[in-house]
């Protein structure tokens, strides 16, 4: 079993362009899931924006990105990135979540999501925002 910790960059409408740029620099493949793709449209004007995106290159480079919805606060100097922790084993990832949650502010409880088997978001006791998910079959 393994987990990955990856920098997760936050944008306001520029995630797709940023992912394409990083791919042009480092190579690899871009994957982008829109809010519409994930069935999570809050504002129809943002349906085509990136809810989850990634560049993954054979040289080991990987970065994730998304477009922060307009209904949520975003300040490039304050919350320009998250640390993403992803794994395939629900028990292993849940154990990490439980340890990270000690003294943390839970921003989204860890549980099933439309786009992941399990997903949660928290700000740890040091002020680092983590998005934690279990890769695998998406929740119904």
């Amino acid at each position: 079993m393994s987990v990955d910790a990856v920098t997760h960059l936050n944008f306001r409408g520029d995630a797709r362009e940023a992912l394409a740029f990083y791919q042009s620099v480092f190579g690899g493949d871009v994957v982008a899931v829109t809010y519409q793709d994930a069935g999570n449209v809050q504002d129809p004007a943002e349906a085509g924006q990136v809810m989850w995106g990634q560049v993954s290159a054979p040289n080991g480079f990987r970065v994730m990105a998304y477009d922060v919805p307009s209904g949520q606060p975003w300040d490039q100097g304050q919350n320009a990135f998250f640390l993403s922790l992803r794994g395939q084993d629900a028990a292993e990832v849940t154990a990490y979540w439980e340890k990270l949650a000690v003294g943390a502010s839970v921003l989204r409880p860890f549980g099933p999501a439309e786009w992941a088997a399990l997903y949660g978001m928290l700000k740890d006791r040091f002020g680092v925002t983590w998005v934690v998910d279990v890769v695998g079959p998406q929740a119904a």
Side-chain angles (χ1 to χ4, degrees):
M1 291 179 241
S2 67
V3 296
D4 293 315
V6 177
T7 302
H8 187 291
L9 304 172
N10 303 333
F11 299 93
R12 181 75 90 196
D14 296 325
R16 187 179 308 277
E17 183 180 351
L19 289 167
F21 171 71
Y22 297 132
Q23 179 192 35
S24 77
V25 172
F26 297 101
D29 298 311
V30 172
V31 176
V33 176
T34 67
Y35 285 97
Q36 184 172 352
D37 295 337
N40 193 30
V41 175
Q42 304 299 314
D43 178 344
E46 299 172 347
Q49 290 187 356
V50 176
M51 187 179 125
W52 180 88
Q54 174 177 272
V55 174
S56 183
N59 62 8
F61 175 81
R62 191 161 69 167
V63 68
M64 297 170 65
Y66 96 120
D67 288 310
V68 178
S70 61
Q72 295 179 12
W74 179 78
D75 179 327
Q76 188 174 21
Q78 296 293 318
N79 59 344
F81 73 94
F82 298 148
L83 190 56
S84 173
L85 180 69
R86 310 188 86 212
Q88 295 185 349
D89 183 276
E92 180 182 20
V93 175
T94 299
Y96 292 131
W97 169 268
E98 290 170 354
K99 291 174 185 175
L100 285 168
V102 174
S105 298
V106 174
L107 305 172
R108 179 181 170 123
F110 194 61
E114 295 87 0
W115 58 89
L118 293 170
Y119 173 86
M121 176 186 254
L122 61 78
K123 184 174 281 191
D124 72 18
R125 63 185 180 202
F126 302 104
V128 176
T129 301
W130 293 77
V131 289
V132 179
D133 67 327
V134 174
V135 181
Q138 294 171 335

